[in-house]
Amino acid sequence: QVQLVEAGGGAGQSGGFLRLSCAVSGRTFGSYVIGWVRQAPGKEREFVVIMDRSGDKTYYADSVEGRFTISRDNAKNTVYLQMNSLRPEDTAVYYCAVSLLSRIVTNPTYYNYWGQGTQVTVYS
């Protein structure tokens, strides 16, 4: 089992920034692929970014490339999502998610564990 707890959501202005965190427990940190997925009202879950087991490789959705950055602190078993240059279309519930597959996957259906989600709202 893997437990994921997100924090850091809230409201921000367009052009501003927010940082989300995801505290992970239950399995050896780094033994899985981890990333962020978001869901806007009335829309399906959308892949945002994913990091491989080593933390060396990342893959971003085109919509956030160059604005969002995923990172992790192994000592704290925590993954972060730094979101800069926010846009109103970034408004969504953001989920931290883990896949037990050994490769990077962008389809949310392949993620095995999910956090409870944290709301991000961006005002224009």
Side-chain angles (χ1 to χ4, degrees), residues 39-120:
Q39 187 168 23
K43 295 187 177 181
E44 295 185 353
R45 289 187 174 181
E46 174 192 22
F47 163 78
V48 176
V49 59
I50 195 161
M51 174 182 284
D52 73 345
R53 292 181 175 184
S54 69
D56 293 333
K57 295 181 181 179
T58 57
Y59 185 79
Y60 293 85
D62 290 343
S63 57
V64 305
E65 178 83 57
R67 300 188 299 121
F68 291 10
T69 303
I70 188 172
S71 62
R72 75 188 207 186
D73 186 331
N74 291 336
K76 296 182 178 179
N77 283 13
T78 299
V79 173
Y80 301 95
L81 181 65
Q82 179 68 40
M83 304 185 296
N84 297 331
S85 301
L86 287 168
R87 303 169 180 170
E89 54 263 40
D90 293 322
T91 295
V93 176
Y94 283 72
Y95 298 90
C96 181
V98 159
S99 172
L100 299 180
L101 296 176
S102 60
R103 66 186 188 278
I104 285 182
V105 288
T106 61
N107 188 332
T109 60
Y110 290 107
Y111 297 167
N112 305 96
Y113 298 98
W114 296 78
Q116 82 284 0
T118 185
Q119 177 70 47
V120 170

